[in-house]
Amino acid sequence: MDIHEYQAKELLARYGVPVPRGGLSYSPEQASYRATEIGGSSWVVKAQVHSGGRGEAGGVKVCHSDHEVADYANELFGKRLRTKQAPAGKCVYRVYVEEATDIKRELYFGIVLDRATERITVVASAEGGMEIEELAESNPDALIKASIEPAVGFLEFQARELAFSLGLAPSQIAKASQLFRAAYRAFRDLDAAMLEINPLAVNAEGELVALDAKMSFDDNALFRRPAISELRDRSQEDPRESHAADRGLAYVGLDGDIGCMINGAGLAMATLDMIKLAGGDPANFLDIGGGASPERVFKAFRAVLADSNVKVVLVNIFAGINRCDWVAKGIVEAFSQIDVELPVVVRLAGTHVEEGQRILAESGLPIVTADTLAEAAEKAVAAARVGERATAAARG
Ligand code: GDP
Ligand code: MN
């Protein structure tokens, strides 16, 4: 689960990470009021959306009067901000106003979970400001990494070493090391999955300040972090994914037009590959899980159909713990309750397959069946092409 910059800053500040003074606003009037409240003569006005790259997309601006703050905030509210990370855009409903910082240097500081070493890894760079992915490509040597032993945590010497490698002055080392370890404690204590401070700025006074902050949290640990769950902002999520998540389905939205309903993550990945190989594009990844009841199958079917880009539905079940007859019942139920106007391709194999096929055949529904994964993928892609032509013809 992702949170907003202002929320991440609030959490980090509680752990002792220095952040600029700021205030959140929900209207242009509130934004300018926040600016006067903060005081000073220049402010940074920042669109709060769950995406990086806001600066480049026109979502961050330094303003020099409360009128300018209000005008710019007015421009932002309700706007769909299209960033490199979120090309479809995310709507701005909250705007953060901060005292402007006089930046002398921009550093990068991040904490991630390294699956290869099974450790939390701290990543830093003297070249902050630009995106870490770009930096990793253009200048991988500029990345400094420290792997953290879970039993002992982020040790003082590691933090100091990192601070020295960033080229900080001797007088800044102690504070930098405190900041790094505070960020690490926040990451650990709150079950974060990712933390990024970019830029971590050195201001005119030589102090380190977190100018930007991003945090995301481990969904599997949210049950024990109610205070973090409170920070969820649904307006920033893919509605297809929130709809599915609320129903306990493992769903990831994609850009294609073939809706997929599959059991098991491995088979789901293989099916997406087969669709690609057959020349098509999946609209989603959806794992209905093991032992799925007809009700669950029905819910999954509805989640797939909720995506208006979907032109054909592909059901691929290799039943072990699952039962093909339950899956078939779920599909028939879906047809009886929803207006399914799209072609549906079904491939069933495994437990109770004969019963499952009989239910589908006797339902009299226009279901296309397939015996193998390859055949199912080809039929789905062919059906999607027909759908495309029909849409094109309808448009004239
Ligand atoms: P992002 O583009 O979504 O990562 O948003 P950031 O919060 O990182 O802001 C983008 C850029 O705006 C930063 O890299 C800074 O260069 C600039 N910026 C942010 N805050 C300030 C500030 O207080 N003063 C100045 N001069 N620039 C700022
Ligand atoms: Mn940033």
Side-chain angles (χ1 to χ4, degrees):
M1 186 190 88
D2 295 335
I3 61 171
H4 288 294
E5 170 197 6
Y6 80 93
Q7 296 168 325
K9 281 179 169 167
E10 210 171 290
L11 293 174
L12 289 171
R14 264 185 240 159
Y15 281 81
V17 174
V19 299
R21 280 190 309 142
L24 185 68
S25 68
Y26 292 93
S27 69
E29 297 75 35
Q30 222 168 36
S32 72
Y33 178 73
R34 286 302 204 181
T36 28
E37 211 178 32
I38 294 162
S41 57
S42 50
W43 302 270
V44 191
V45 179
K46 310 181 82 173
Q48 297 298 291
V49 289
H50 287 184
S51 169
R54 294 165 303 166
E56 275 178 23
V60 177
K61 190 180 175 196
V62 180
C63 298
H64 301 282
S65 72
D66 54 346
H67 291 294
E68 199 184 348
V69 169
D71 285 349
Y72 180 58
N74 188 40
E75 220 175 276
L76 286 180
F77 278 112
K79 181 176 173 176
R80 190 167 266 280
L81 197 67
R82 294 173 203 279
T83 64
K84 222 192 281 169
Q85 288 178 19
K90 299 228 166 164
C91 242
V92 183
Y93 298 112
R94 306 176 198 199
V95 167
Y96 195 48
V97 182
E98 268 184 349
E99 56 179 344
T101 302
D102 186 359
I103 307 174
K104 293 299 173 210
R105 280 188 74 191
E106 293 196 337
L107 311 171
Y108 175 93
F109 178 85
I111 307 180
V112 290
L113 195 67
D114 182 352
R115 288 171 207 277
T117 56
E118 300 178 7
R119 298 257 160 113
I120 291 173
T121 299
V122 175
V123 186
S125 171
E127 292 177 37
M130 72 160 124
E131 279 177 49
I132 191 70
E133 290 82 5
E134 282 173 32
L135 193 61
E137 255 187 38
S138 65
N139 195 3
D141 295 337
L143 293 182
I144 309 157
K145 290 184 188 173
S147 182
I148 299 182
E149 158 64 49
V152 295
F154 192 11
L155 296 172
E156 174 83 36
F157 87 89
Q158 285 180 297
R160 292 175 66 85
E161 206 169 71
L162 213 62
F164 276 112
S165 317
L166 291 172
L168 290 169
S171 60
Q172 295 168 322
I173 300 293
K175 279 199 176 150
S177 139
Q178 259 173 33
L179 185 156
F180 299 160
R181 293 171 78 212
Y184 171 75
R185 276 195 299 279
F187 184 98
R188 265 300 298 254
D189 287 5
L190 303 173
D191 292 313
M194 188 278 294
L195 182 160
E196 196 178 66
I197 300 176
N198 186 28
L200 171 61
V202 178
N203 66 17
E205 289 76 43
E207 312 275 352
L208 287 161
V209 196
L211 276 205
D212 188 11
K214 266 181 197 47
M215 281 181 93
S216 72
F217 297 87
D218 183 348
D219 292 336
N220 296 310
L222 279 180
F223 73 93
R224 61 181 190 186
R225 302 276 166 248
I228 299 297
S229 302
E230 292 267 339
L231 304 179
R232 182 168 174 195
D233 181 355
R234 286 169 161 277
S235 76
Q236 300 295 309
E237 296 174 3
D238 181 333
R240 299 176 297 170
E241 291 183 7
S242 347
H243 172 273
D246 290 344
R247 285 153 188 82
L249 299 164
Y251 178 104
V252 180
L254 302 169
D255 301 328
D257 53 9
I258 301 180
C260 301
M261 209 177 90
I262 300 149
N263 73 296
L267 185 62
M269 296 302 285
T271 307
L272 302 196
D273 283 345
M274 292 302 277
I275 290 172
K276 283 279 189 188
L277 191 66
D281 280 306
N284 66 280
F285 165 104
L286 169 60
D287 173 10
I288 61 164
S293 63
E295 291 73 34
R296 190 174 167 80
V297 171
F298 169 52
K299 276 185 197 165
F301 211 90
R302 218 170 32 192
V304 172
L305 289 176
D307 181 350
S308 60
N309 287 332
V310 169
K311 291 206 178 72
V312 49
V313 180
L314 169 59
V315 182
N316 183 22
I317 303 295
F318 191 93
I321 305 169
N322 271 301
R323 293 175 45 167
C324 289
D325 54 333
W326 283 8
V327 172
K329 275 185 192 153
I331 296 171
V332 173
E333 181 66 18
F335 268 93
S336 77
Q337 296 207 23
I338 326 165
D339 240 352
V340 186
E341 284 164 357
L342 305 174
V344 178
V345 179
V346 181
R347 181 253 179 161
L348 297 176
T351 310
H352 293 208
V353 63
E354 291 84 6
E355 179 64 6
Q357 279 162 349
R358 191 186 59 76
I359 292 171
L360 291 184
E362 286 178 1
S363 71
L365 293 169
I367 290 170
V368 181
T369 56
D371 292 326
T372 65
L373 174 48
E375 188 192 340
E378 275 158 21
K379 284 183 170 171
V381 172
R385 293 245 168 84
V386 172
E388 261 165 37
R389 278 199 295 275
T391 315
R395 283 204 196 101

